[in-house]
């Protein structure tokens, strides 16, 4: 049977469809209780189109196969322009090689364009540079970070 994938915004029921376990393939999520998930989901939902998390669900299994998020930054620069910041793109290891990551990035970039952003930016590891180039992005600058304990 062929796999069928549906891309859409995150829903509150997606926690039980493996959303947190999927994020664990990207970075440590810790243990997120149902209550913590629900509270964070409602907080993010309250931002409307300024913070969107998309998922790709494999319809036969009902599992979340891929995800990514975007935040819209409102600036004073460039006549009060907007910039999209893509984060947390990950495809479940069982579903890699099916162009799902590209579909996630395209979904998020389309959202940014529809919101009037003049650009979309993201940080990625050197290992993922080629993937994002295939999504139409270019290496523009370097990332700097400081972690707080």
């Amino acid at each position: 049977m062929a796999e069928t994938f549906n891309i859409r915004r995150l829903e509150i029921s997606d926690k039980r469809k493996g959303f947190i376990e999927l994020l664990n393939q990207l970075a440590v999520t810790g243990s997120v209780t149902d209550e913590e998930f629900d509270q964070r989901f409602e907080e993010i939902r309250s931002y409307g189109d300024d913070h969107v998390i998309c998922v790709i669900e494999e319809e036969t299994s009902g599992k979340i196969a891929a995800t990514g998020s975007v935040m819209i930054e409102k600036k004073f620069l460039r006549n009060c322009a907007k910039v999209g910041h893509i984060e947390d793109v990950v495809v479940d290891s069982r579903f890699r090689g099916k162009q799902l990551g590209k579909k996630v990035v395209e979904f998020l970039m389309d959202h940014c364009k529809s919101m009037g952003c003049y650009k979309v930016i993201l940080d990625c590891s050197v290992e993922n540079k080629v993937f994002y180039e295939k999504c139409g992005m270019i290496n523009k600058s370097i990332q700097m970070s400081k972690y707080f304990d």
Side-chain angles (χ1 to χ4, degrees):
M1 178 184 279
E3 296 168 314
T4 305
F5 297 96
N6 179 35
I7 190 164
R8 58 174 171 75
R9 288 187 182 205
L10 180 73
E11 296 172 357
I12 201 160
S13 60
D14 289 333
K15 181 178 189 285
R16 71 176 193 282
K17 295 179 179 180
F19 178 73
I20 297 297
E21 292 80 4
L22 174 60
L23 288 177
N24 258 319
Q25 293 184 33
L26 180 67
V28 175
T29 59
S31 60
V32 178
T33 67
D34 290 346
E35 182 179 339
E36 290 168 329
F37 182 88
D38 292 352
Q39 286 175 350
R40 181 53 46 96
F41 177 88
E42 292 301 334
E43 178 184 1
I44 291 170
R45 185 163 62 177
S46 75
Y47 302 139
D49 288 335
D50 287 340
H51 188 166
V52 171
I53 300 173
C54 79
V55 296
I56 296 180
E57 181 179 352
E58 197 285 305
E59 291 184 354
T60 304
S61 67
K63 293 294 183 188
I64 302 302
T67 188
S69 66
V70 68
M71 281 80 53
I72 307 295
E73 176 189 6
K74 295 177 174 133
K75 304 177 86 57
F76 286 105
L77 295 171
R78 295 182 178 252
N79 299 311
C80 295
K82 297 177 193 175
V83 174
H85 295 264
I86 293 178
E87 288 282 333
D88 304 336
V89 175
V90 60
V91 176
D92 189 302
S93 59
R94 297 170 294 172
F95 297 107
R96 291 184 186 150
K98 300 178 185 297
Q99 304 287 305
L100 300 182
K102 189 170 189 226
K103 285 180 175 41
V104 165
V105 172
E106 287 171 351
F107 181 97
L108 297 172
M109 288 196 294
D110 287 347
H111 177 72
C112 291
K113 189 173 182 180
S114 74
M115 291 292 291
C117 294
Y118 80 97
K119 73 176 178 179
V120 177
I121 57 178
L122 61 80
D123 296 322
C124 71
S125 65
V126 173
E127 298 79 33
N128 290 332
K129 179 178 176 276
V130 172
F131 165 74
Y132 288 108
E133 288 172 341
K134 288 178 183 175
C135 293
M137 303 189 94
I138 60 169
N139 186 0
K140 184 73 174 157
S141 55
I142 65 169
Q143 173 198 44
M144 304 291 290
S145 64
K146 179 173 178 64
Y147 287 82
F148 301 103
D149 295 331

